[in-house]
Amino acid sequence: MIRWLLLIAVTVGLTVGADSLGVPSAALFVALLVAVIFALAGWAPTTGTERAPLPRRLGMIAQAVLGVEIGTLVQRDTLTSLGDAWIPVVLACVGTLVLSIAAGALLGLRKDIDSLTGSLALVAGGASGLVAITQELGGDERVVAVVQYMRVVLVTTTLPLVSTLVFRAQPGQSTMLADSGAPLYVDLAFVLVCGGVGVLLATALRFPAPALLGPLIIATGADVLGFSFDASVPTLSLWAAYIVIGWQAGLRFTVASLKSISRVLPASLMLIIAVTVGCAMLGLWLASATGTSGYEGYLATTPGGVYAVLAIAASTGANVTFVVAAQVIRVFMMLFAVPVGAKVVQRYRRGRTD
């Protein structure tokens, strides 16, 4: 119990500090870092002589909260604003998926990384969701967590530089919509209903990663159909979900696994840069196909850091609705395509083994 209390206190304290400094997805990655340190130092919570894993049900609750959060990004007006740009946006998202899978396949050629883990680690979209479901899909969530965070940090830190130096974007009046300010009880009820119904429905239909995809579908449907009552996931609930997901990956680290992952990082960094440049090229094509500016095309196809992308788009006077729509479609496509593809690969492997 003392170790659990210490883990919670350190994680929460550092999360508050990191969030105030603007660290992307602070709760998730602070929890990952703290859990890794605790695991390597031998301070991880234990049961007898074994390190205590987090209860599976707790992990499913965290995935459900995250699914509802992603679902609330969708707004009917935002999607309808695409108009005739739907086809080019979807094609650009497919191109991003293909680039990610190709990069993951290259990473999976290494002897110390399997192809599934490599693909999950380099998929450009929904980092927290991918980390949450990696173990369930049969990948190594430690590698996925580290490489995905590296991608998010790289994209987030280069966004302001590229925007200013390449596209000469200047801060202007924000066009972001203000928060709806729904009462807390409405937010909590929305999360509970979407989470509970979504998990039950997705489990009954045998969806891959039902705890994430089920609530995501229900929350998206409620938003698009106008039944969300302007609800959103409370910040503390979202932080708690991120922390659980970070702990799940971090507490499984050992000195041997850390050495193995460190050998993968140089290759991973080069592949992340390649995917980022490829997505920028897709953004320029998207701009020419839709009549938007090259800057807006770049923001729409940036492979990660969605909240940072939206903040920069708003502060520089870009077409926020276009950027939001393209980014949301990308995240949805990644989070749905990856679990389904992973299940297909698993069945194929089992068939060859049999």
Side-chain angles (χ1 to χ4, degrees), residues 170-339:
Q170 297 296 327
Q173 185 175 2
S174 175
T175 57
M176 288 289 281
L177 298 175
D179 293 334
S180 61
L184 179 60
Y185 69 87
V186 174
D187 291 340
L188 292 174
F190 182 74
V191 173
L192 288 173
V193 172
C194 291
V197 173
V199 171
L200 291 175
L201 182 62
T203 302
L205 296 176
R206 297 188 177 184
F207 278 18
L212 177 73
L213 297 186
L216 189 154
I217 293 171
I218 298 299
T220 300
D223 247 2
V224 171
L225 297 176
F227 297 131
S228 65
F229 306 103
D230 293 326
S232 61
V233 177
T235 301
L236 291 181
S237 299
L238 188 59
W239 275 22
Y242 280 151
I243 287 172
V244 168
I245 293 168
W247 282 350
Q248 277 186 323
L251 290 176
R252 296 180 58 242
F253 269 82
T254 62
V255 174
S257 66
L258 188 63
K259 289 181 179 179
S260 176
I261 291 172
S262 66
R263 292 193 292 267
V264 177
L265 295 184
S268 300
L269 179 60
M270 296 304 297
L271 289 170
I272 290 170
I273 293 173
V275 171
T276 302
V277 172
C279 288
M281 297 299 100
L282 285 172
L284 295 178
W285 171 82
L286 179 63
S288 64
T290 58
T292 57
S293 68
Y295 176 52
E296 289 164 343
Y298 162 71
L299 292 177
T301 56
T302 297
V306 59
Y307 292 109
V309 171
L310 301 186
I312 290 178
S315 65
T316 54
N319 186 343
V320 178
T321 54
F322 177 78
V323 174
V324 169
Q327 286 284 345
V328 167
I329 290 172
R330 175 180 62 83
V331 171
F332 268 56
M333 185 175 293
M334 301 300 173
L335 288 180
F336 274 96
V338 169

